[in-house]
Amino acid sequence: MDENEAFYRYVEWETEVNDISIEATGSGEIFIFLDNQENPSGSSTLTEGQIGASSFHGHSGKHEIRLQFNQVHNLVVHALCFRG
């Protein structure tokens, strides 16, 4: 499952976003890319469904979000919440 990806298209923010909350079960790293960026705009590390470390920064506008998963163990993402 390492480096598997998921995409969300047409996600739009009216203001800058500086925080992400992920509701999940299992463990792993999630890297968050906006549009066609080569470097991630953020990441989150989860252990048994609990966020251990998280960072994110995104500018306002309409985006495609790409999640890349690494070092996963029974990881299932239930919800993402981006906050300003």
Side-chain angles (χ1 to χ4, degrees):
M1 286 225 12
D2 280 358
E3 296 191 20
N4 277 353
E5 298 177 329
F7 292 85
Y8 294 89
R9 292 196 166 103
Y10 314 118
V11 176
E12 188 169 5
W13 302 306
E14 292 182 11
T15 61
E16 276 192 10
V17 176
N18 296 309
D19 188 32
I20 183 171
S21 175
I22 299 175
E23 190 177 307
T25 54
S27 303
E29 296 176 327
I30 303 172
F31 293 94
I32 306 148
F33 298 83
L34 291 180
D35 307 312
N36 293 319
Q37 292 178 336
E38 291 185 28
N39 295 317
S41 294
S43 65
S44 188
T45 302
L46 293 106
T47 304
E48 299 301 321
Q50 300 297 313
I51 294 177
S54 182
S55 67
F56 182 78
H57 180 77
H59 54 84
S60 62
K62 191 181 288 187
H63 303 283
E64 175 182 89
I65 297 171
R66 177 172 53 101
L67 305 178
Q68 183 181 68
F69 303 95
N70 292 305
Q71 300 179 1
V72 298
H73 183 353
N74 297 323
L75 181 64
V76 177
V77 176
H78 302 285
L80 302 170
C81 181
F82 295 93
R83 294 183 288 244

